[in-house]
Amino acid sequence: LALQGGFAPHLHALQELGHKTREVRTAAELAELDGLVLPGGESTTQLRLLGRHGLDAALDSFVRSGRPLLCTCAGLILAARQVLSPAQRSFGWLDVSVARNAWGRQVDSFIASDDGARQQLVFIRAPRIVEVGPQAEVLATYQGEPVLVRQGSRYGATFHPELTPDRSLHQAVFGGQGLSA
Protein backbone atom coordinates (compact mmCIF):
# COMPACT_ATOMS: atom_id res chain seq x y z
CA LEU A 1 0.00 0.00 0.00
CA ALA A 2 1.66 3.20 -1.17
CA LEU A 3 -0.37 5.97 0.45
CA GLN A 4 2.26 6.99 3.02
CA GLY A 5 5.28 5.57 4.78
CA GLY A 6 8.10 3.22 3.89
CA PHE A 7 6.63 1.27 1.00
CA ALA A 8 9.63 1.63 -1.37
CA PRO A 9 12.01 -0.61 0.62
CA HIS A 10 9.32 -3.33 0.68
CA LEU A 11 8.97 -3.07 -3.10
CA HIS A 12 12.73 -3.54 -3.40
CA ALA A 13 12.74 -6.54 -1.03
CA LEU A 14 9.96 -8.25 -2.98
CA GLN A 15 11.62 -7.51 -6.31
CA GLU A 16 14.80 -9.16 -4.97
CA LEU A 17 12.69 -12.29 -4.41
CA GLY A 18 11.44 -12.18 -8.01
CA HIS A 19 7.97 -10.77 -7.39
CA LYS A 20 6.16 -8.44 -9.72
CA THR A 21 5.37 -5.37 -7.58
CA ARG A 22 3.31 -2.22 -7.85
CA GLU A 23 2.45 0.79 -5.75
CA VAL A 24 -1.21 0.52 -4.73
CA ARG A 25 -3.36 3.58 -4.14
CA THR A 26 -6.83 2.56 -5.40
CA ALA A 27 -9.38 -0.18 -4.78
CA ALA A 28 -9.04 -1.34 -8.40
CA GLU A 29 -5.27 -1.77 -7.99
CA LEU A 30 -5.80 -3.59 -4.71
CA ALA A 31 -8.21 -6.08 -6.30
CA GLU A 32 -5.51 -7.16 -8.79
CA LEU A 33 -2.98 -8.23 -6.13
CA ASP A 34 -2.02 -11.67 -4.85
CA GLY A 35 -0.52 -10.23 -1.63
CA LEU A 36 -0.05 -6.91 0.15
CA VAL A 37 2.32 -5.06 2.48
CA LEU A 38 1.02 -2.47 4.93
CA PRO A 39 4.25 -0.54 5.56
CA GLY A 40 5.52 1.49 8.45
CA GLY A 41 4.85 5.20 8.52
CA GLU A 42 2.40 7.18 10.63
CA SER A 43 -0.71 5.16 11.43
CA THR A 44 -3.12 8.07 12.02
CA THR A 45 -2.08 9.62 8.71
CA GLN A 46 -2.50 6.26 6.99
CA LEU A 47 -6.02 5.91 8.45
CA ARG A 48 -6.96 9.37 7.18
CA LEU A 49 -5.59 8.59 3.71
CA LEU A 50 -7.41 5.26 3.57
CA GLY A 51 -10.65 7.11 4.31
CA ARG A 52 -9.89 9.91 1.85
CA HIS A 53 -9.20 7.37 -0.92
CA GLY A 54 -12.26 5.27 0.00
CA LEU A 55 -10.13 2.19 0.63
CA ASP A 56 -11.40 0.92 4.00
CA ALA A 57 -13.96 -1.56 2.63
CA ALA A 58 -11.75 -2.74 -0.25
CA LEU A 59 -8.79 -3.23 2.07
CA ASP A 60 -10.92 -5.13 4.59
CA SER A 61 -12.29 -7.36 1.82
CA PHE A 62 -8.78 -8.00 0.49
CA VAL A 63 -7.44 -9.03 3.90
CA ARG A 64 -10.44 -11.23 4.73
CA SER A 65 -9.99 -13.02 1.37
CA GLY A 66 -7.00 -14.84 2.86
CA ARG A 67 -4.35 -13.46 0.53
CA PRO A 68 -0.93 -12.91 2.15
CA LEU A 69 -0.53 -9.75 4.21
CA LEU A 70 2.62 -8.36 5.84
CA CYS A 71 2.08 -5.50 8.30
CA THR A 72 5.15 -3.72 9.64
CA CYS A 73 5.26 -1.09 12.38
CA ALA A 74 2.39 1.33 11.55
CA GLY A 75 0.87 -1.41 9.39
CA LEU A 76 0.71 -3.62 12.49
CA ILE A 77 -1.05 -0.81 14.34
CA LEU A 78 -3.68 -0.64 11.59
CA ALA A 79 -4.15 -4.44 11.65
CA ALA A 80 -4.35 -4.86 15.44
CA ARG A 81 -7.50 -5.79 17.34
CA GLN A 82 -6.81 -2.94 19.80
CA VAL A 83 -4.54 0.12 19.84
CA LEU A 84 -3.42 1.83 23.05
CA SER A 85 -1.32 4.87 24.02
CA PRO A 86 -3.24 6.65 22.57
CA ALA A 87 -6.23 4.61 21.50
CA GLN A 88 -7.16 4.79 17.83
CA ARG A 89 -9.29 2.96 15.32
CA SER A 90 -7.87 -0.21 13.78
CA PHE A 91 -9.16 -3.01 11.58
CA GLY A 92 -8.84 -6.03 13.90
CA TRP A 93 -7.23 -8.41 11.41
CA LEU A 94 -4.63 -9.62 13.93
CA ASP A 95 -5.61 -10.80 17.41
CA VAL A 96 -3.16 -8.51 19.21
CA SER A 97 -3.23 -5.33 21.26
CA VAL A 98 -0.46 -2.85 20.55
CA ALA A 99 0.85 0.29 22.22
CA ARG A 100 1.94 2.96 19.75
CA ASN A 101 5.56 4.19 19.76
CA ALA A 102 6.19 2.11 22.89
CA TRP A 103 9.83 1.32 22.05
CA GLY A 104 10.52 5.06 22.20
CA ARG A 105 10.64 8.16 20.07
CA GLN A 106 12.54 8.57 16.79
CA VAL A 107 15.80 9.30 18.66
CA ASP A 108 15.39 5.99 20.53
CA SER A 109 15.49 3.91 17.32
CA PHE A 110 17.79 0.89 17.50
CA ILE A 111 18.92 -2.33 15.84
CA ALA A 112 19.01 -5.66 17.69
CA SER A 113 18.63 -9.39 17.10
CA ASP A 114 15.58 -11.41 18.06
CA ASP A 115 15.86 -13.74 21.06
CA GLY A 116 16.69 -16.68 18.80
CA ALA A 117 19.41 -14.68 16.99
CA ARG A 118 17.72 -15.60 13.69
CA GLN A 119 16.95 -12.13 12.39
CA GLN A 120 18.01 -8.53 12.71
CA LEU A 121 15.37 -6.17 14.08
CA VAL A 122 15.23 -2.48 13.16
CA PHE A 123 12.98 -0.55 15.56
CA ILE A 124 11.93 2.98 14.55
CA ARG A 125 9.23 4.53 16.79
CA ALA A 126 7.97 0.97 16.96
CA PRO A 127 4.79 -0.28 18.57
CA ARG A 128 4.92 -2.94 21.28
CA ILE A 129 2.64 -5.96 21.22
CA VAL A 130 1.17 -5.84 24.72
CA GLU A 131 -1.27 -8.73 24.36
CA VAL A 132 -1.50 -11.70 22.01
CA GLY A 133 -4.93 -13.32 21.71
CA PRO A 134 -5.55 -17.01 21.09
CA GLN A 135 -5.92 -16.63 17.31
CA ALA A 136 -2.40 -15.21 16.84
CA GLU A 137 0.87 -17.13 17.05
CA VAL A 138 4.12 -15.54 18.25
CA LEU A 139 6.93 -16.22 15.75
CA ALA A 140 9.72 -14.08 17.24
CA THR A 141 10.49 -12.27 20.47
CA TYR A 142 12.91 -9.61 21.66
CA GLN A 143 13.80 -9.56 25.36
CA GLY A 144 10.91 -11.96 25.90
CA GLU A 145 8.34 -9.69 24.22
CA PRO A 146 6.54 -10.68 21.00
CA VAL A 147 7.78 -8.73 17.95
CA LEU A 148 6.45 -10.94 15.13
CA VAL A 149 3.06 -12.65 15.02
CA ARG A 150 1.09 -14.66 12.50
CA GLN A 151 -2.61 -15.34 12.14
CA GLY A 152 -3.21 -17.51 9.11
CA SER A 153 -1.83 -15.65 6.08
CA ARG A 154 -1.50 -12.38 8.05
CA TYR A 155 1.84 -11.43 9.59
CA GLY A 156 2.53 -8.48 11.88
CA ALA A 157 5.98 -7.16 12.81
CA THR A 158 6.82 -4.36 15.23
CA PHE A 159 10.13 -3.92 13.40
CA HIS A 160 11.24 -3.12 9.83
CA PRO A 161 12.52 -6.25 8.01
CA GLU A 162 12.67 -4.32 4.75
CA LEU A 163 15.54 -2.21 6.12
CA THR A 164 17.86 -5.21 6.49
CA PRO A 165 19.44 -7.45 3.83
CA ASP A 166 17.54 -10.45 5.27
CA ARG A 167 14.58 -11.36 3.06
CA SER A 168 13.43 -14.37 5.08
CA LEU A 169 10.26 -12.74 6.42
CA HIS A 170 9.17 -11.50 3.00
CA GLN A 171 9.98 -15.01 1.70
CA ALA A 172 7.89 -16.64 4.45
CA VAL A 173 4.89 -14.41 3.75
CA PHE A 174 4.97 -14.22 -0.05
CA GLY A 175 7.15 -17.10 -1.22
CA GLY A 176 9.95 -16.83 -3.75
CA GLN A 177 8.35 -15.91 -7.06
CA GLY A 178 5.10 -15.60 -8.90
CA LEU A 179 2.87 -13.41 -6.74
CA SER A 180 2.18 -9.79 -7.54
CA ALA A 181 2.41 -7.79 -4.34
Side-chain angles (χ1 to χ4, degrees):
L1 191 65
L3 297 178
Q4 189 270 340
F7 55 86
H10 284 289
L11 288 169
H12 180 72
L14 290 166
Q15 290 164 354
E16 285 181 354
L17 293 172
H19 292 286
K20 179 181 172 189
T21 62
R22 68 185 308 173
E23 295 179 9
V24 175
R25 294 181 179 91
T26 68
E29 292 168 336
L30 186 61
E32 298 171 357
L33 298 181
D34 297 324
L36 182 67
V37 174
L38 293 181
E42 209 295 308
S43 61
T44 56
T45 300
Q46 290 179 358
L47 281 172
R48 276 188 238 119
L49 290 169
L50 286 168
R52 184 180 301 155
H53 290 271
L55 285 170
D56 283 12
L59 185 57
D60 188 60
S61 178
F62 176 91
V63 173
R64 295 190 189 281
S65 75
R67 289 175 275 185
L69 176 69
L70 174 58
C71 309
T72 61
C73 201
L76 172 62
I77 294 168
L78 296 180
R81 171 181 33 83
Q82 180 182 33
V83 179
L84 310 166
S85 302
Q88 76 177 45
R89 181 174 72 89
S90 59
F91 288 95
W93 302 315
L94 289 169
D95 191 11
V96 296
S97 293
V98 299
R100 294 179 57 206
N101 303 330
W103 287 103
R105 303 183 60 75
Q106 189 82 20
V107 297
D108 301 314
S109 300
F110 65 98
I111 299 172
S113 292
D114 71 335
D115 290 339
R118 290 182 300 274
Q119 61 190 323
Q120 188 179 53
L121 310 173
V122 176
F123 292 95
I124 303 171
R125 293 182 56 210
R128 271 187 148 123
I129 298 172
V130 295
E131 180 188 355
V132 178
Q135 295 179 43
E137 169 189 10
V138 176
L139 299 179
T141 59
Y142 172 69
Q143 296 182 344
E145 294 187 34
V147 294
L148 176 63
V149 296
R150 180 180 148 257
Q151 184 172 329
S153 60
R154 306 167 195 166
Y155 291 73
T158 63
F159 57 95
H160 291 273
E162 74 281 8
L163 298 180
T164 74
D166 181 1
R167 300 296 176 234
S168 61
L169 181 53
H170 289 85
Q171 175 83 31
V173 177
F174 300 106
Q177 294 194 21
L179 291 176
S180 61

